[in-house]
Amino acid sequence: MTRKQRRLTLIGCALAVLAIAAGLVLNALRDSIVFFSTPSMVAEKHIGPGKRFRLGGLVETGSVKRGDNLAVTFTVADGGATLPVAFKGILPDLFREGQGVVAEGALDASGVFRADTVLAKHDETYMPKEVADALKKQGHWKDDYGKPGAQPSASAAPTQGAMR
Amino acid sequence: MTLTDLANPTRFLALTTRILPWLAGATAILLAIGLYQSAMAPDDYQQGATVKIMFIHVPNAWLSMFVWGVMSIAALGTLVWRHPLADVAAKSAAPIGAAFTFLALVTGSLWGRPMWGTYWEWDARLTSVLILFLMYLGLMALWRAVEDPSRAARAAAVLTLVGAINIPIIKFSVDWWNTLHQPASVFRAGGPTLDKAFLWPLLVMAIAFSLLFITLHLAAMRNEILRRRVRSLQMMQASRTAVIGEAKEMGAA
C-alpha cells in the first residue's frame, strides 16, 4: 500500500465512523428533531394538559367553524386519529380544509388543543391554476381541497416521517 | 491534455484565460433566458405569484450543497495527494458557497412569511441549512486564522470533510423527520411533482447558476494563485534584503 492509499483509507474509515456517530446521535434525538406531533403520536404519548407542543396534520374537511373576533375551531386529522383545535387570530393564506397545518399550543383540560400560532404547511406539488382547474373539471383531481371523503394524497399528508 | 497537466498552476492560468470569457457569456445568456422564463411562468394554484421565488431559492439551495461537495473533493486532493491547486480550489469556493447559502436562507424566509405564516421556524431542514451557512463562515475564518497556506489547507480540509456529513442530513431531513419545509419536488422517487410550466424555468435557472458558480470559482482560483505568487515573491524579496542587510552589517563590523 502506498502512502496515498493509506491516507485515503484512513480518511475513509474516519468518515465512516463519523457518519455512524452522527446517525446514532440523530436517531437518539429523533423525538426532539421532529417539528410537530400528529394526533396519533399525541394519543400514543399521552401528552398531558398544559404541556406545549406543536400539532401537525390535515385540517379535516367540513370541520372549520368561525366564531366572533377571529375565533376559529377546526379538527386536525392524520388518517388515524383526530384532535379538535381552537385558535383566535389571523390564519395564513394557505389555510383551508384539506390543507396541512402546524399549530403551536397546549391541550386544555377538556382535551381541546388551544393554539396560539397556526402555520400552513405547503406540499411539494406545484401546478399552474389553469392546469388545476382543468384537472378538477375532468374529475381527475387527486386530492383534498373541499371534496368530502376524498383521499388526501400521500404527499399532502405531513405524517410520513411519523409513520417510520 | 491530461488532468495532471491541468493541475499545473501555469497551465491552469493559461487555460482559464481562454475559457473564462466564453463561460461568462454562456452564464449571462442562460441567466437572461432563465429569468425571462421565470417571470413569464404562470401563477401557482395555491401560492399565486409567490411561486416565482422558487426559481431563485431552489438553485441557490442546490448550489449551497453542491459547492460543499466540490470543496470536499478538493479536501481529499489536499489530504491525500497534497496538491496545492486543490488547496486553492477549496479556499476560493468557500465564500461563493456561503453567498449561495445566505441567498437560499433569505429567499426561503421571504417565501415562508406569506405561505407558512412565519419567517423562521426551527425545523430540521431550516436548522441544518443554517448550520451549513455557519460552517461556511467558520471555514472562511479558519483559512484566514492560519498564516501558512499549506497548513491552513490541511486544517480546512479536515473541517470540510467533517462538515460533509451535514449534506445528506440537509437533503433527507424532509424525509427522515416531519418538518415544516415541504419534501423534495424534483429529485424524488416517482418523478418530479412540479408541473412542466415550472420545471423548465427551474432547470434553466439551475444550469445558469451552476455555470455562474464555475465562472466565479475559476476566476477566484486565478486570483488566489496570483495572490500566492505575490506572497512568495515578497517572501523571496524579504529574505534577499535580509541577507544583503546581514552582509552589510558583517562588512561594517
Side-chain angles (χ1 to χ4, degrees):
Chain A
M1 224 201 266
T2 64
R3 283 220 324 275
K4 279 167 194 168
Q5 280 171 326
R6 205 166 55 233
R7 286 202 287 252
L8 201 56
T9 327
L10 195 74
I11 292 169
C13 291
L15 275 184
V17 170
L18 204 64
I20 292 168
L24 289 175
V25 168
L26 291 178
N27 196 37
L29 293 177
R30 200 175 42 209
D31 284 351
S32 24
I33 296 177
V34 291
F35 187 64
F36 53 83
S37 308
T38 61
S40 319
M41 289 161 80
V42 174
E44 223 172 84
K45 282 193 279 189
H46 303 290
I47 299 177
K51 193 177 180 300
R52 284 184 64 83
F53 64 96
R54 291 195 196 92
L55 174 74
L58 294 176
V59 179
E60 205 167 50
T61 309
S63 72
V64 178
K65 287 186 185 66
R66 290 174 199 271
D68 295 335
N69 282 336
L70 297 171
V72 61
T73 62
F74 53 91
T75 311
V76 168
D78 65 356
T82 60
L83 205 64
V85 177
F87 175 68
K88 200 168 188 181
I90 296 168
L91 292 164
D93 289 356
L94 278 188
F95 180 91
R96 77 189 81 141
E97 293 181 349
Q99 178 81 27
V101 284
V102 178
E104 196 173 344
L107 290 169
D108 67 5
S110 58
V112 175
F113 187 80
R114 299 258 161 216
D116 43 41
T117 318
V118 172
L119 304 176
K121 198 175 145 42
H122 188 258
D123 63 30
E124 74 274 33
T125 318
Y126 295 74
M127 212 184 283
K129 234 189 198 89
E130 299 80 52
V131 177
D133 289 343
L135 281 179
K136 272 181 202 161
K137 225 177 265 169
Q138 293 164 13
H140 290 317
W141 194 237
K142 56 187 184 348
D143 59 347
D144 58 56
Y145 309 117
K147 266 194 189 170
Q151 276 293 311
S153 75
S155 55
T159 52
Q160 21 186 330
M163 302 283 190
R164 303 242 159 103
Chain B
M1 187 176 273
T2 62
L3 202 66
T4 43
D5 284 341
L6 264 182
N8 176 321
T10 310
R11 291 261 170 80
F12 176 83
L13 284 181
L15 182 76
T16 47
T17 312
R18 262 187 291 146
I19 61 171
L20 262 180
W22 296 98
L23 270 175
T27 307
I29 291 168
L30 269 178
L31 213 53
I33 297 174
L35 281 174
Y36 176 77
Q37 285 189 332
S38 307
M40 292 296 134
D43 286 0
D44 182 73
Y45 74 112
Q46 289 188 73
Q47 306 170 45
T50 318
V51 71
K52 282 167 189 166
I53 295 178
M54 174 188 72
F55 301 122
I56 301 286
H57 172 71
V58 173
N60 273 311
W62 282 345
L63 261 294
S64 71
M65 294 189 280
F66 177 77
V67 173
W68 199 282
V70 169
M71 290 196 314
S72 303
I73 294 167
L76 280 182
T78 298
L79 290 177
V80 178
W81 288 277
R82 298 274 151 88
H83 204 289
L85 200 63
D87 304 1
V88 170
K91 185 178 180 181
S92 36
I96 309 173
F100 283 133
T101 316
F102 179 72
L103 285 176
L105 284 169
V106 169
T107 50
S109 179
L110 292 177
W111 182 89
R113 185 67 192 88
M115 290 299 112
W116 293 331
T118 177
Y119 284 112
W120 184 264
E121 281 296 324
W122 295 99
D123 90 331
R125 172 58 75 81
L126 275 57
T127 310
S128 56
V129 174
L130 182 67
I131 291 172
L132 179 74
F133 179 60
L134 294 177
M135 285 201 313
Y136 270 118
L137 295 187
L139 200 56
M140 286 157 65
L142 183 61
W143 272 109
R144 278 155 186 75
V146 185
E147 200 165 333
D148 176 34
S150 62
R151 278 186 58 220
R154 249 173 278 169
V158 172
L159 183 60
T160 307
L161 288 179
V162 170
I165 303 284
N166 194 22
I167 300 300
I169 296 178
I170 294 175
K171 167 73 187 139
F172 296 109
S173 56
V174 287
D175 302 321
W176 290 341
W177 303 289
N178 48 32
T179 53
L180 185 60
H181 195 285
Q182 55 269 38
S185 293
V186 181
F187 297 117
R188 62 190 285 282
T193 50
L194 224 67
D195 191 88
K196 280 193 192 67
F198 300 130
L199 192 58
W200 280 113
L202 179 61
L203 288 182
V204 174
M205 286 297 272
I207 297 168
F209 268 76
S210 307
L211 280 178
L212 178 68
F213 165 65
I214 296 171
T215 311
L216 291 175
H217 190 211
L218 289 181
M221 279 176 75
R222 287 173 57 84
N223 289 348
E224 181 62 22
I225 290 171
L226 296 175
R227 203 178 294 128
R228 283 177 182 215
R229 286 195 174 167
V230 169
R231 184 185 133 90
S232 60
L233 284 176
Q234 280 172 340
M235 303 268 273
M236 270 163 60
Q237 181 73 36
S239 67
R240 197 178 297 145
T241 19
V243 169
I244 293 169
E246 262 173 47
K248 271 185 187 161
E249 265 172 44
M250 298 268 277

